[in-house]
């Protein structure tokens, strides 16, 4: 694929892909595909009792989503999976005023149907669309007040590969990257989460600064994709 | 939906739905959708050592595949899931001469993206297509001999609902059924597996006979769907 | 053992084999021995809340019950065990009107002391006797109304071995069988459960019909064994 | 039951109770019944590699062995069970020269079919008979040398109940006991294991001495029971 | 280390080693170091409901506490650990009148920072100090009545090594011991728990008697160490 | 404690705190205390086979390390723990040339004895000292070549609390922080890992920049503490 280092891969967001849950979103990002569903349960965890609602995320990969089969995590917790779903949950909670969600938990499930790098940023970006549509529908139904919506949330990866700063690492780039960073931002251009790791070497302050700027540009484009998808879904 | 009791719901089989594995099949059967992927590993379980190959199946439901969220089976085995994946594996193994598969295990993963009844029969019917394409491709690559292909395999459910024999129960029918039976057949019209359960009442021998005949008719139509899908995939 | 293909192995049902629980039954069926105990707990699972009672079954094999030691299922669920105990529970529930059992759960534990084929059908046949005696005793004690008793339940296996239809497979027959079927019936000669599997080859419709007839004959004899055992226990 | 405080409950040891394993023993001790089976596997744990054989014991209680149902220990280890089976294994290993058992593991499974106190001492006493018969049969088959037999092993409980020293506590005595002690001895009258616990109060040195003497007397009688059972089994 | 067979290793008990919990004790016993902390929770297990309080102990070894790394017991229960923490709990409960502790559970955690034999007796001896200080502080705060204190508790190991009776086995002695016994006593010189095991050979009645006497002497010295540590802590 | 927002809490690093393992380090950082031990095993995970060595870290908290008891993670993996030990492992691996460690795994265990915030940065900073001393000792023993040492590694937390940028958050600061960031650096002042999270609000680019600078200053001081501790240990 001939792609400029500062260009995103093609992103398509299909809303209401499946009929069952409150909202469902298939995000296709290059060859990565994640199905994000939103579902509400009329219960909150103990620490949110009498304080409002909660939003939690789970993440999984289908066994056939990569060339090498991923084992189902039955009978044991998978460290990588745990880490990713904690990140998705934290990121998405920043988009909503949990105190105004009512005594309910919003479950956002992000399941990777096909993986080619960037599954956690696709999960956050698509998961926000699913969560947002779910909340908008509950607002329209009079069950949540509009003030529960705080800000859009999107995420992208950036990295250093052979001395070049790249936006949006696919799997081949990611596996060669010296430095790899996931950035989550809100609609006001502020940082919700920055997770940078020197996989093969450390990064200088200047390199870190350049990667952050690259991520900012990519996330602005993702907000546009999200807006269109949400508008289409709500217009129905 | 106005459907005759002896008519199948619409069935669509999309092959190579995802790019990653050896073969991938999305079977859409009414509003039930199952993604079946096939993947080979160069290992066999101990009891097949030096005897040829093996085929094993796993089954899962995405948390958002039903209106009421399905919990991920982390940290514990789910009895229903275990039972279903053992059935799928047994059924699919009847389609292939395992001794001629070479020293490899064929993994067939059936993941339910959307559930509206009949997920196990859709998994068997779609899983056979994935397994078959995978084996045909390994034959074409000279890695397996053609004699490994024995017979097509397909499955359908039948049941008694309010005194009527129904072919192909969707979720609303299934939840009202007095008797519920899953039937797996081979290409010669013989039975691989018959699992009938009197959920609310027992069935007489005559009722059992009528259900078996109904299933035979449905499975013949499924073989036609499979043939077309396999031909399209192999023509590429 | 010289036995006609349509003859049952010798069956002995000893009631009140142990003194402790509400009812205990040792069923000896050829060289298979299963201890079935019945025990009531004053609790029901959530989905039966305020609806009446529940009956649940568990199945286990002692490590020394077979020539090759069976591992204790500590720390993991065993798929075969799960499947069998779900079958036993479904079968036995058909014998009782759960709504009339009172707010209690009847636990039927079937533990295989010695295994020589047919452990699941021995568990159902012996488990029914334990459940029935338990319920009769609760009726006699005025804790359950007599209408809770619906119908006797018994089960037998049948199969195709070297082209012959056999009733009641012992382990040597079972391990050579091409087709293997477990049949559960009620006292009116109707089918509660039919589970037929083509282990080595598929079966034609005629073969399936012949096996069902053979099973019907065997189960009639088992009802006689059950009746005598129950009468003896209740006469005490 | 009118029993003198220094008298054992009636003990019956039935050998070859089941046909399957290398040796099987049903020990009935008052109303406690334990099935002990012995089985050999041609493997040893890593720490016994190239050093000879091993003997290991497992202990379980059937769910219906007590008036209050015992849960099956699936998915978690049970502390009491672990403790008991470690004790049984240690005790039985003292009876054999493991270095002379050959490169095999002897599995002694002790499963409580009915429990009325003293299940661990019945397991040791009956387990020794099973292990001994198994080893004698392997000696007779020329697979083990006779010197592998070191000494008989038996065990009994003693305790202080309302100020009286009791031999062989049944469940009602055990649940009222202030002090409770399990004693394992060898054929030369020496102590293999002494486990005394002040459940409700501590014991003085004099009380401890009296209990040890009482246990010695009981164990001498158990050796006689064991000898007769072993002789009968080997005479066949 | 030149030490007489009837002499204890040096014992140092540091109270309030860490600031966080209700009481914390670092017991250093030769080169064995155990951190014992006491913590109260306002809950009791179901079987103590409305009867007063409870005391429970847990035991762990840090992975780096021995020359050969100890695996963390994640995902499985460790039999040895379970056995030890049950012993510690039973021993410490003898020191307190649980009915007078109020509706709370006292958690005593004993974590081995460095192990050189005798970790379970150090846990009991140090754990008592932590439990005692915790209870004294709750008495001083008016939350527990003084009568909750029954008696001091301490423990020591003894054993037979090369024909000599040794008090207080360190790891090198323990690994060579023929017989090994842990003894727990109360302040009146009575036995709470006696656990003697013939690891390599059985012990005669005389040997057992001699070991018990040796343990009595050692425990008297431990009571003095405990008294001083408790007095220092409460004087603060 | 009156501390300037840009000042570290007092840090003390005691080497060889326990005698057993290859190296042991007690790092006391304010009221946080972590025991870090290093231990070598002559095995590598499969993916490092024939490629050199490996370094892995585990992290745990003692139950009594905080005012509210931390449950032992037996029988389940803890998401937070998994995340932390993956971070520690990644960070420490950057300090060594794994290809030159020989066919061994270096286990770094970080166990929190007392927690007052910053346990993960204390684990990295103290864990590096333990790993470094272990490797230096293996170099001195001629088992590893000196080139295996790449760079020192240390870590600190920074955060925004009530509008102020703070270095080194203790627990009270951490629980009030709006933004919280952990920074790991190498000896050349480059970033190994940056993990910033907007717990209560997002951070602007300027705020992020200020926090990174604050962390750089703190880590320089930590390198000095490490150097002194390592020099003292190696001088012995």
């Amino acid at each position: 694929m001939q792609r400029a280092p500062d260009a995103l891969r093609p992103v398509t967001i299909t809303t209401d892909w499946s009929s069952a849950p409150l909202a469902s979103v298939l995000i296709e990002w290059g060859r990565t595909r994640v199905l994000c569903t939103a579902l509400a349960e009329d219960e909150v965890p103990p620490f949110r009792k009498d304080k409002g609602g909660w939003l939690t995320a789970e993440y999984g990969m289908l066994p056939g989503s990569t060339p090498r089969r991923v084992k189902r995590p039955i009978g044991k917790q998978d460290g990588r999976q745990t880490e990713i779903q904690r990140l998705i949950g934290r990121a998405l909670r920043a988009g909503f005023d949990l105190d105004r969600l009512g005594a309910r938990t919003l479950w956002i499930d992000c399941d990777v149907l096909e993986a080619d790098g960037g599954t956690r940023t696709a999960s956050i970006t698509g998961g926000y669309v699913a969560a947002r549509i779910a909340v908008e529908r509950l607002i329209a139904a009079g069950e949540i007040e509009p003030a529960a919506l705080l800000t859009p949330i999107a995420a992208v990866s950036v990295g250093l590969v052979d001395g070049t700063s790249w936006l949006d690492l696919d799997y081949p780039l990611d596996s060669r990257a010296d430095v790899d960073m996931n950035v989550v931002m809100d609609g006001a251009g502020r940082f919700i989460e920055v997770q940078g790791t020197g996989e093969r070497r450390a990064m200088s302050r200047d390199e870190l600064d350049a990667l952050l700027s690259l991520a900012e540009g990519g996330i602005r484009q993702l907000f546009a994709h999200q807006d269109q998808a949400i508008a289409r879904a709500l217009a129905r």
Side-chain angles (χ1 to χ4, degrees), chain A residues 44-55 93 98:
Chain A
V44 288
F47 61 88
R48 288 294 298 165
K49 206 87 189 171
D50 303 320
K51 293 188 184 160
W54 185 242
L55 183 154
R93 281 190 289 275
L98 303 177

Side-chain angles (χ1 to χ4, degrees), chain A residues 110-129:
Chain A
C110 301
D111 285 90
V112 179
L113 307 185
E114 194 169 355
D116 184 34
T119 63
R120 76 189 73 188
T121 52
S123 295
I124 292 169
T125 305
Y128 176 74
V129 177

Side-chain angles (χ1 to χ4, degrees), chain A residues 50-120:
Chain A
D50 303 320
K51 293 188 184 160
W54 185 242
L55 183 154
T56 192
E58 288 193 357
Y59 168 94
M61 293 184 79
L62 290 200
S65 62
T66 62
R68 191 191 176 104
R69 187 171 182 272
V70 182
K71 281 194 184 170
R72 289 177 202 271
I74 290 167
K76 54 148 207 163
Q77 197 99 14
D78 172 331
R80 177 183 169 275
Q81 177 188 12
T82 303
E83 209 173 300
I84 293 177
Q85 65 196 17
R86 284 162 58 94
L87 167 65
I88 301 171
R90 275 200 313 272
L92 297 186
R93 281 190 289 275
F96 303 92
D97 183 342
L98 303 177
D99 294 351
R100 295 171 193 258
L101 284 186
R104 60 169 63 84
T105 296
L106 221 59
W107 285 87
I108 307 299
D109 284 287
C110 301
D111 285 90
V112 179
L113 307 185
E114 194 169 355
D116 184 34
T119 63
R120 76 189 73 188

